[in-house]
């Protein structure tokens, strides 16, 4: 909170300097002439100050009401003017404050998510043809989607939504002139900050409930980023849940995230990561390894299987030396065993990957069960 208050103070001082710079510069050299009415008013005060004050005396309650009304009016006018000329102040009025240092852009929140009663359960509903999901990272306070173009263009994208309890989000824009790279656009009736670098583009906006939306594209043109941003939609949970009941020996649960119709579970064994993910009503398919796959059977459903290429010697950290290890080793889909299948009835796609044998990964997948949630989000 101390850092946020400091940024708020700096933002307000900077906004005032920008708005009133011309007035302050001209005031230093200005020559004033007083009207006849003002001169008469001044002579009356100087002639008999007590008589002048007595004639204008008002009850205390009237003074208080007048003063309060004046303060409200002045604050409203000043704040309205600052919101027009300063995106920083506009962000402060809601929940998020922007700070720029070099080519790094950071949005800070005061941490109050009292207005965001629902989960940050948002996802895009449009992507260019040929794109795939590379990863998901969801929990109650954020939803994070990573995509890439499978056509070989090198383009990639992240779509995220945060509630104010996330406190901050930061990135670097590929430009040496951040001021020239920044402009504002309208996204879903909200004013959004758009930053265009040499090879990247960032689009950020806040809705009326304090959610911060974050679209970052690499090798993606501005029009595509804006179209994806305009497609961001709240996903109402459908009440379907899946679980895997059998986990290979030695693995311990580390993370379990669930939101916007997506689930991500992570287990770790001596640093080696085992990940199980699913998406209900997916916008596009999972990213697949580029190597050859084998068709297998998972509980009567056809699935694609890619064998593990990581040796057991390099897969795990030796913790017998007495050191405490917290590292996570994720060799990615190109080297670990990967299993993908689909539940056509619920339109749900699954991906299971880790340093596992064919027998273990199939046994784990076949232990999956489906249930109905008692409470929908």
């Amino acid at each position: 909170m101390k850092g946020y208050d400091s940024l708020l103070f700096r933002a307000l001082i900077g906004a005032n300097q920008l708005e009133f710079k011309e007035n302050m510069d001209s005031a230093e050299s200005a020559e004033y002439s007083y009207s006849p009415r003002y001169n008469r008013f001044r002579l009356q005060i100087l002639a008999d100050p007590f008589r002048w004050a007595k004639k204008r005396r008002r009850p205390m309650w009237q003074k208080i009401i007048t003063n309060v009304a004046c303060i409200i009016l002045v604050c409203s006018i000043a704040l309205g003017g600052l919101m027009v000329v300063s995106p920083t102040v506009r962000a402060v009025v809601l929940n998020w404050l922007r700070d720029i240092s070099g080519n790094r852009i950071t949005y800070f929140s005061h941490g109050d998510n009292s207005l965001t009663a629902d989960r940050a359960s948002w996802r895009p509903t449009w992507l260019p043809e040929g794109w795939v999901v590379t990863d998901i990272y969801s929990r109650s306070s954020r939803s994070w989607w990573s995509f890439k173009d499978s056509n070989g263009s090198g383009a990639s994208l992240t779509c995220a939504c945060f509630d104010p309890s996330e406190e901050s989000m930061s990135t670097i824009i590929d430009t040496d002139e951040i001021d020239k790279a920044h402009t504002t656009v309208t996204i879903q009736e909200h004013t959004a900050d758009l930053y265009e670098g040499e090879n990247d583009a960032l689009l950020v906006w806040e809705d009326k409930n304090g959610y911060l939306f974050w679209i970052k594209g690499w090798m993606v043109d501005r029009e595509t980023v804006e179209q994806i941003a305009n497609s961001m939609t709240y996903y109402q949970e459908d009440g379907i849940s899946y679980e895997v009941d059998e986990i290979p020996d030695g693995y311990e649960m580390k993370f379990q995230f669930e939101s916007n119709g997506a689930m991500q579970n992570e287990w770790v064994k001596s640093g080696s990561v085992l990940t199980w993910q699913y998406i209900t009503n997916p916008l596009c398919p999972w990213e697949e390894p580029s190597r050859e796959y084998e068709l297998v059977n998972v509980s009567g459903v056809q699935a694609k299987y890619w064998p593990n290429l990581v040796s057991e010697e390099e897969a795990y950290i030796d913790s017998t030396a007495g050191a405490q290890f917290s590292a996570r080793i994720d060799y990615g889909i190109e080297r670990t065993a990967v299993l993908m299948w689909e539940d056509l009835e619920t339109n749900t796609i699954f991906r299971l990957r880790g340093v596992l044998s064919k027998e273990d990964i199939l046994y784990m997948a076949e232990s999956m069960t489906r249930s109905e949630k008692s409470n929908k989000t």
Side-chain angles (χ1 to χ4, degrees), residues 121-333:
S121 186
W122 293 75
R123 57 159 80 174
T125 56
W126 179 87
L127 283 172
E129 187 176 352
W131 283 56
V132 293
V133 185
T134 60
D135 212 350
I136 55 174
Y137 182 73
S138 299
R139 58 188 182 193
S140 61
S141 60
R142 72 159 61 184
S143 59
W144 183 285
W145 298 78
S146 296
F147 305 95
K148 66 178 289 187
D149 182 10
S150 63
N151 299 314
S153 69
S156 62
L157 185 88
T158 56
C159 298
C161 175
F162 310 92
D163 78 20
S165 65
E166 282 294 312
E167 295 190 354
S168 69
M169 186 60 194
S170 180
T171 190
I172 293 176
I173 301 298
D174 186 21
T175 180
D176 294 328
E177 299 180 291
I178 195 67
D179 292 337
K180 295 182 179 179
H182 174 255
T183 186
T184 58
V185 296
T186 300
I187 300 296
Q188 299 187 11
E189 300 183 351
H190 301 288
T191 300
D193 292 318
L194 174 65
Y195 310 87
E196 294 181 90
E198 292 294 329
N199 296 292
D200 56 357
L202 172 67
L203 193 57
V204 184
W205 74 98
E206 180 182 354
D207 73 1
K208 63 182 180 180
N209 294 320
Y211 291 105
L212 187 76
F213 294 85
W214 182 281
I215 313 293
K216 177 76 178 290
W218 179 261
M219 302 293 291
V220 184
D221 60 75
R222 168 180 175 170
E223 290 73 19
T224 300
V225 172
E226 289 189 40
Q227 188 168 352
I228 294 171
N230 277 306
S231 77
M232 290 291 287
T233 304
Y234 181 79
Y235 184 83
Q236 180 67 40
E237 299 289 349
D238 45 29
I240 300 172
S241 180
Y242 294 87
E243 294 182 3
V244 286
D245 298 326
E246 300 294 336
I247 310 299
D249 292 339
Y251 282 92
E252 296 183 1
M253 171 68 76
K254 293 298 181 182
F255 302 102
Q256 185 177 49
F257 307 131
E258 183 176 14
S259 184
N260 54 45
M263 164 74 85
Q264 175 176 330
N265 283 6
E266 281 191 7
W267 299 266
V268 177
K269 174 184 177 182
S270 298
S272 183
V273 177
L274 171 60
T275 305
W276 177 59
Q277 300 164 308
Y278 69 75
I279 304 173
T280 301
N281 298 316
L283 176 59
C284 57
W286 285 112
E287 177 191 18
E288 296 184 357
S290 59
R291 49 200 169 98
E292 293 295 323
Y293 64 85
E294 174 188 349
L295 291 177
V296 295
N297 186 286
V298 175
S299 301
V301 177
Q302 191 176 76
K304 291 181 178 181
Y305 166 71
W306 291 262
N308 172 53
L309 303 180
V310 181
S311 67
E312 187 167 345
E313 289 75 18
E314 64 177 318
Y316 306 108
I317 297 174
D318 183 9
S319 59
T320 60
Q324 296 297 319
F325 291 94
S326 59
R328 297 169 64 257
I329 306 174
D330 188 344
Y331 292 97
I333 63 173

Side-chain angles (χ1 to χ4, degrees), residues 97-112:
L97 171 67
R98 182 189 68 187
D99 181 64
I100 298 177
S101 178
N103 63 344
R104 175 173 291 279
I105 300 171
T106 305
Y107 284 79
F108 292 91
S109 169
H110 51 63
D112 180 13

